[in-house]
Amino acid sequence: NTFLRTEKTFADFNLRMQMRWDELGNSGVLFRAQQRDGDGRAYGYQYELDHSERSWSAGIYDEARRGWLYSLKDDQTAREAIKLDDWNDIEISARGGTLKTWINGVAAATVIDAFDPEGFIALQVHSGDVGIMRWRHIRIKELEPVAQPGNALASEDWLLEGLSDIQIQGTDVSGD
């Protein structure tokens, strides 16, 4: 893999950009990414850009660690949103433990995962014999953090959609 990465790290943000293939090949956008000591390998959340028939673009893959966190195998609408021969609008939102993606305005993935609260952003060209990608109109908006260290976790910002009530007793958390 080859990555063009930011020096700065980002925690809560909204990232928008456009991408297109000049020559089809696997690609992606790492976000809240880290770099291993020793071998320098980049790892972390990846917005997948999948040119294959599977078409899981905008799914979230945990690069060099846990694998798929959210594939698009059950989301036909999101799989059909990718354009292989034109510019694609990419959007990533990372807010607290909530990660969301869109492809060409179509909502794709929502993952609740707080493995990495911040990290760098990197554009990926996957290893292989083919693949030429273009990127443009890259813009990022840093957002105020959902919570600061020491804040109670039972605030409205931490509740999931559809979760109407939450109870915390000792170390137990439950909800309806």
Side-chain angles (χ1 to χ4, degrees):
N1 291 334
T2 301
F3 297 96
L4 176 63
R5 62 161 281 190
T6 63
E7 289 186 20
K8 181 177 178 173
T9 61
F10 298 89
D12 291 357
F13 63 87
N14 182 273
L15 174 65
R16 294 176 185 213
M17 67 182 77
Q18 291 185 315
M19 178 271 184
R20 75 170 290 144
W21 284 278
D22 281 351
E23 185 175 335
L24 295 177
N26 185 280
S27 187
V29 179
L30 264 65
F31 60 99
R32 289 188 175 171
Q34 313 298 314
Q35 195 162 7
R36 286 194 185 121
D37 291 333
D39 67 3
R41 176 83 191 259
Y43 64 93
Y45 302 119
Q46 177 182 292
Y47 178 111
E48 179 72 8
L49 286 163
D50 181 7
H51 70 289
S52 75
E53 190 174 303
R54 176 182 69 181
S55 194
W56 287 358
S57 291
I60 298 177
Y61 185 79
D62 192 6
E63 173 73 24
R65 208 167 35 187
R66 298 175 289 169
W68 284 103
L69 301 179
Y70 195 103
S71 73
L72 297 181
K73 67 180 179 176
D74 296 323
D75 190 340
Q76 186 70 26
T77 302
R79 287 197 325 266
E80 291 175 352
I82 192 73
K83 297 181 265 186
L84 298 179
D85 58 356
D86 201 358
W87 289 100
N88 292 280
D89 293 315
I90 292 168
E91 184 173 355
I92 301 167
S93 173
R95 189 122 168 95
T98 304
L99 312 173
K100 294 184 179 186
T101 65
W102 294 261
I103 183 72
N104 294 318
V106 175
T110 298
V111 170
I112 308 299
D113 188 271
F115 222 65
D116 295 309
E118 73 177 89
F120 61 82
I121 294 170
L123 307 178
Q124 178 201 42
V125 177
H126 200 277
S127 61
D129 295 335
V130 297
I132 299 173
M133 295 78 189
R134 287 186 197 226
W135 310 87
R136 71 178 186 187
H137 305 303
I138 301 169
R139 49 212 187 276
I140 189 164
K141 180 179 181 182
E142 292 185 82
L143 305 172
E144 289 295 319
V146 171
Q148 296 292 333
N151 286 36
L153 291 178
S155 72
E156 287 237 354
D157 291 331
W158 284 92
L159 298 179
L160 303 176
E161 292 177 19
L163 188 61
S164 60
D165 192 28
I166 189 169
Q167 296 89 36
I168 301 175
Q169 291 183 312
T171 59
D172 296 331
V173 178
S174 61
D176 296 327

